[in-house]
Amino acid sequence: MLDHEKLDVYKVFIEFMAIAIKIADNIPRGFSSLADQLKRAAWSIPLNIAESCGKKQH
């Protein structure tokens, strides 16, 4: 298990991502840009957490 996968905040946002994707998939077609934005935002949070855990502290 990688360091970021041990963090509670990472686990919570993985769950959030799954919920956000379900919500985005139910957004009407006329609002596809909103659905896309929600999916990208949901993905960015755990990716940013993982990236910050991989950086060395000075």
Side-chain angles (χ1 to χ4, degrees):
M1 183 176 288
L2 300 172
D3 288 341
H4 65 276
E5 293 174 333
K6 298 174 189 172
L7 297 173
D8 289 336
V9 68
Y10 180 81
K11 294 173 188 175
V12 168
F13 275 103
I14 291 297
E15 292 175 19
F16 168 76
M17 186 175 62
I19 294 166
I21 289 171
K22 286 180 184 177
I23 292 169
D25 288 343
N26 288 306
I27 292 176
R29 291 189 188 270
F31 299 94
S32 62
S33 61
L34 178 61
D36 181 56
Q37 177 65 26
L38 178 58
K39 287 180 184 180
R40 287 186 288 120
W43 272 101
S44 73
I45 297 166
L47 290 175
N48 286 329
I49 293 169
E51 180 182 0
S52 69
C53 283
K55 292 184 178 181
K56 303 229 184 221
Q57 299 287 327
H58 297 294

